[in-house]
Every structure is written in C-alpha cells, then in structure tokens.
Amino acid sequence: RFGTALVVGHKGALPGTPNPMPLWHSLGWPLMAAAFKAVEVIFAAQFNMLRGPTSPLGKSDVLENFYGYAHVLDTTFQNKVKEGAIRWHIGNPERYTASGLQASGEELEAD
C-alpha cells in the first residue's frame, strides 16, 4: 500500500480512490516527481545507461516503463473516465439484464 500511495502522489488517484489520495497528489506530486526521477537515474547508472541510445533518461519515466509494459497499473480506465468516455459505478452486482447489469438496485446499461 505504501508503494501505491507513492505512485498516486506521482501520477494521480485512480477513480474510486478515497478522498485523501487526490489531495496527496495535488500537494505531493513535485516531491514524488523528483523522487521517481532519482530512482530512474539510479536504475540507469546501475546498468551503465546514463548516456547513449539505450538511455531511458528523458524518454519516459520509470513508472511508464515498468507499469506500461508489465501491465501492473494500466491507466486506460482512469483516462477514459477523465475524458468522459465511460461512466463508472460502484455497487453490488445482482443480476445480468438484457441491456446490461442490475447493481445495488439500479439498472446499468453496459455492452
């Protein structure tokens, strides 16, 4: 959970995250950006990749590299919610319907 809190401080909260986390991101992102950049430099130095065509520095951050390729933290859902392309709902699924799902007494259309 500590690692997740650090990532939220750097990248932002996922939908449904408790209220303190978006506040943590808005206040803590400058510190977290510097901390994650330091980690990226340490990784690059360990593998002798500070310079040259294989250097990750300046191309993308360590989280995009790790989470993007490992698919551990996929922000596609978060981005779609921000764009308004999808609507999310928290509830208890009760049954499938012809047009979607009934959850917590509400019928939700879904594909």
Side-chain angles (χ1 to χ4, degrees), residues 3-96:
T4 301
L6 294 177
V7 170
V8 167
H10 181 48
K11 290 294 189 180
L14 293 169
T17 304
N19 285 336
M21 298 314 277
L23 177 63
W24 160 236
H25 171 66
S26 64
L27 298 175
W29 76 264
L31 175 65
M32 290 297 99
F36 278 98
K37 183 52 78 176
V39 168
E40 186 175 323
V41 169
I42 290 169
F43 284 166
Q46 286 177 333
F47 295 105
N48 198 22
M49 297 171 59
L50 289 171
R51 293 190 195 105
T54 59
S55 173
L57 302 179
K59 296 178 183 166
S60 64
D61 69 20
V62 69
L63 287 177
E64 289 173 5
N65 284 334
F66 178 74
Y67 289 119
Y69 296 106
H71 300 289
V72 175
L73 177 65
D74 184 0
T75 59
T76 304
F77 178 70
Q78 178 183 14
N79 294 338
K80 296 265 185 207
V81 170
K82 285 181 181 177
E83 295 166 2
I86 61 172
R87 186 179 64 117
W88 63 280
H89 180 86
I90 295 175
N92 297 319
E94 296 165 356
R95 66 181 177 85
Y96 290 103

